[in-house]
């Protein structure tokens, strides 16, 4: 029997009764809704299609060769990152033309949307590149190089100088000369 709303509260309660160790993940299980998007480290972006209550399996379409892939919910809570509805990748999959127009014309908005959902509005270089790769595919490096040039004077977004630095979305613009002074005082003697 297929249930149209994956992991509703009764299904989650039944699952927790059979596997009490999942009680700590109840909120994440409840978030596994039909139509939600998720990320798997190896398989990429997935779209939750259904929950098969009889098999106790979520049916997730991953992009590429993992279409209609069945996964146990207990596996999902540890291996999948659920994307909020307003995440740039989820928004792109729901409305590709709108997000592609932003990618083409407004890189500052792309960075702002990504960084707004990150803790403290910061993201490491590797995290940003990974997000951009899921968003744009193999072309992300060329886009990133061009976006950095276009946004060099944008004082709301700080780009990493070193690989260990982070992207930062600032609350207030910072003048270029102030940014240089701060970088100078942070350097080791």
């Amino acid at each position: 029997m297929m249930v149209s709303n994956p992991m509703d509260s009764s299904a989650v309660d039944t699952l927790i009764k059979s596997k009490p160790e999942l009680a700590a993940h109840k909120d994440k299980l409840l978030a596994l809704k039909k139509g939600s998007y998720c990320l798997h480290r190896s398989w990429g972006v997935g779209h939750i299609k259904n929950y098969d209550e009889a098999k106790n399996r979520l049916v997730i379409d991953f992009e590429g060769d993992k279409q209609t892939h069945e996964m146990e919910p207990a596996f999902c809570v540890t291996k999948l990152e659920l994307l909020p509805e307003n995440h740039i990748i989820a928004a792109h999959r729901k409305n590709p033309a709108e997000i592609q127009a932003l990618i083409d014309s407004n890189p500052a908005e792309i960075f702002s949307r990504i960084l707004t959902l990150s803790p403290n509005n910061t993201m490491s270089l590797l995290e940003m590149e990974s997000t951009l790769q899921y968003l744009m595919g193999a072309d992300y490096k060329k886009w990133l190089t061009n976006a950095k040039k276009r946004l060099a004077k944008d004082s709301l977004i700080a780009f990493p100088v070193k690989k260990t630095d982070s992207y930062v979305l600032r609350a207030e613009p910072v003048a270029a000369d102030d940014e240089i002074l701060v970088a100078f005082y942070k350097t080791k003697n």
Side-chain angles (χ1 to χ4, degrees):
M1 175 182 143
M2 290 289 234
V3 176
S4 64
N5 190 7
M7 302 311 298
D8 63 8
S9 60
S10 64
V12 170
D13 290 340
T14 303
L15 182 61
I16 290 173
K17 282 180 187 174
S18 68
K19 295 184 178 188
E21 66 274 11
L22 292 176
H25 302 289
K26 185 174 182 174
D27 289 340
K28 190 167 184 180
L29 288 167
L30 288 169
L32 296 169
K33 301 272 186 217
K34 180 178 181 175
S36 295
Y37 287 87
C38 58
L39 286 177
H40 185 278
R41 192 174 281 177
S42 298
W43 302 331
V45 179
H47 187 225
I48 299 174
K49 292 295 186 181
N50 257 323
Y51 174 61
D52 186 335
E53 192 172 11
K55 292 182 180 178
N56 186 32
R57 297 279 191 263
L58 284 163
V59 179
I60 303 174
D61 281 348
F62 287 97
E63 296 172 354
D65 61 348
K66 289 273 185 195
Q67 295 287 316
T68 317
H69 188 70
E70 294 184 358
M71 296 179 74
E72 187 177 324
F75 180 79
C76 293
V77 296
T78 58
K79 299 297 181 186
L80 295 181
E81 175 189 345
L82 291 174
L83 300 176
E85 283 186 40
N86 60 342
H87 194 283
I88 191 78
I89 295 171
H92 181 259
R93 295 321 191 264
K94 289 178 196 171
N95 193 344
E98 178 184 321
I99 302 302
Q100 189 60 49
L102 280 177
I103 289 169
D104 295 341
S105 66
N106 195 347
E109 180 63 20
I110 297 296
F111 282 107
S112 293
R113 282 189 169 190
I114 293 170
L115 292 169
T116 300
L117 294 175
S118 299
N120 301 320
N121 293 340
T122 64
M123 185 178 269
S124 74
L125 177 70
L126 291 174
E127 291 171 320
M128 179 62 77
E129 287 187 359
S130 176
T131 300
L132 292 173
Q133 187 172 14
Y134 284 126
L135 182 62
M136 296 176 220
D139 295 337
Y140 85 93
K141 284 187 178 187
K142 182 178 178 183
W143 180 88
L144 183 57
T145 301
N146 290 331
K148 285 180 183 178
K149 290 175 188 173
R150 288 176 66 183
L151 296 174
K153 294 181 182 178
D154 190 315
S155 55
L156 283 176
I157 300 169
F159 290 89
V161 177
K162 300 180 287 187
K163 287 189 177 196
T164 56
D165 292 342
S166 296
Y167 287 87
V168 178
L169 179 62
R170 299 179 179 122
E172 306 255 336
V174 174
D177 51 347
D178 289 340
E179 192 169 5
I180 291 169
L181 282 173
V182 169
F184 174 76
Y185 288 122
K186 281 185 175 179
T187 59
K188 296 176 184 175
N189 292 333

